[in-house]
Amino acid sequence: MPSLVSPLTRMALVLYCLVPLFAGTAAAQAQTISEINKANGFHEMLMGIGPGFTAAVKSAPGTPPRKVQDALAAAMEGAFDPEKMEAAIEARMADKLSARDLSELASFYASPLGKQVTALEIQASSPQAREAKKIEGAKILGELPSRDPARFALYRKMMDDISAVDTGEAVGLNMGYAMLSEMLGAAGKPLPDDQVMALLRKQTDGLRRDIDNDAMEAAAYIYRDMSMADLKLYEAFLASPAGSRYALGAVMTDEARSFGHRFFVALGYRKA
């Protein structure tokens, strides 16, 4: 179990962390959630979640048995569907964003700063940049505390603003909970919810540390060339009511739980 849960949950966090950070690619006068999503590259980000999970499993240490690989492939069919997730996100955010929030989001995504961070984030999210982001991000992050502590602290504040670690952990634990509870049930050894969660936390020891490190490495790489003045403006946007409400954590959690169930159906341990 740990060999599957760990890479999947880390990838979930990295993708989640980028969600509130995606800004507009065009100066669109968007005033609805749907229009804002279309104007800011949100759909493209959602399209990368499924392939990202697949890549995470393939890059995990060791090679899973063929049965497990086939089950994962089957479980991924229809999982993290961008159209479905976008509709769910719009529905969840409909009663959370006021007209003023929508106006502020639209203004930011159409601003020069919004376009700047979008270009950086989209560039860093490409398959070609993933390895460079991990290697260079780790190198940059390792040097920051002594070389530029103010920038390091600002990256930390940005991650705190979007509750990156808390949300990433919630997504990961929900996926792991679904998979572990299915496994125990299939073995004829079901446990109460609290015991399943306690067992899962033992299996995912160090998850928060890994999530935090991955998020900080990504930030160090993506925003390495931005000025401190622009970074402070961006952090202020992320911390604003509109910026902080624009997220998909709950939808990601639902998809993670559903994926875990489909995985064990594919393994033959559960009926669909």
Side-chain angles (χ1 to χ4, degrees):
M1 176 62 67
S3 63
L4 293 177
V5 172
S6 182
L8 292 173
T9 50
R10 285 199 294 270
M11 180 56 70
L13 166 84
V14 172
L15 291 168
Y16 167 76
C17 285
L18 296 179
V19 172
L21 311 182
F22 268 73
T25 57
Q29 295 302 311
Q31 293 297 324
T32 68
I33 297 172
S34 179
E35 290 170 342
I36 289 171
N37 286 347
K38 286 179 173 62
N40 70 0
F42 200 80
H43 183 77
E44 287 73 13
M45 185 281 303
L46 291 177
M47 290 180 65
I49 292 180
F53 266 70
T54 300
V57 173
K58 290 181 178 179
S59 65
T63 302
R66 172 54 60 183
K67 181 180 180 180
V68 174
Q69 294 184 50
D70 291 344
L72 285 169
M76 280 304 303
E77 293 183 9
F80 303 102
D81 178 79
E83 298 289 349
K84 182 181 70 174
M85 291 182 69
E86 190 166 6
I89 290 163
E90 291 176 10
R92 284 180 181 270
M93 289 194 294
D95 61 350
K96 292 181 173 63
L97 297 175
S98 65
R100 180 176 179 178
D101 290 334
L102 292 171
S103 179
E104 291 178 0
L105 287 168
S107 295
F108 177 79
Y109 293 147
S111 71
L113 178 60
K115 294 177 183 179
Q116 179 187 9
V117 295
T118 292
L120 293 174
E121 288 160 357
I122 290 178
Q123 181 181 18
S125 66
S126 68
Q128 297 82 357
R130 285 174 185 165
E131 188 66 20
K133 181 168 60 177
K134 180 65 178 176
I135 296 174
E136 293 299 318
K139 181 180 178 181
I140 295 170
L141 185 66
E143 298 172 349
L144 276 181
S146 59
R147 180 173 60 82
D148 195 344
R151 180 176 285 264
F152 180 85
L154 190 54
Y155 289 153
R156 169 68 61 207
K157 182 67 167 62
M158 291 166 66
M159 294 303 100
D160 289 345
D161 288 338
I162 62 174
S163 301
V165 178
D166 289 341
T167 304
E169 183 184 43
V171 171
L173 289 177
N174 270 274
M175 175 178 286
Y177 177 86
M179 296 174 74
L180 185 56
S181 59
E182 293 284 347
M183 182 179 69
L184 291 169
K189 300 178 181 179
L191 293 175
D193 289 348
D194 59 338
Q195 293 184 35
V196 174
M197 187 56 69
L199 180 59
L200 178 64
R201 288 190 178 279
K202 289 182 180 179
Q203 294 188 340
T204 55
D205 182 47
L207 178 62
R208 285 185 65 88
R209 181 186 65 248
D210 291 342
I211 286 172
D212 179 69
N213 190 64
D214 285 352
M216 288 291 286
E217 286 179 355
Y221 178 80
I222 294 170
Y223 311 115
R224 64 194 184 281
D225 294 326
M226 283 185 67
S227 69
M228 282 293 287
D230 284 342
L231 276 174
K232 289 178 180 179
L233 289 174
Y234 191 23
E235 186 279 323
F237 167 74
L238 294 177
S240 70
S244 61
R245 290 170 188 152
Y246 190 54
L248 59 66
V251 174
M252 275 290 295
T253 296
D254 290 345
E255 283 296 305
R257 187 183 300 113
S258 177
F259 174 86
H261 175 75
R262 284 198 301 274
F263 175 61
F264 276 86
V265 168
L267 282 174
Y269 295 153
R270 278 283 183 272
K271 293 183 179 180

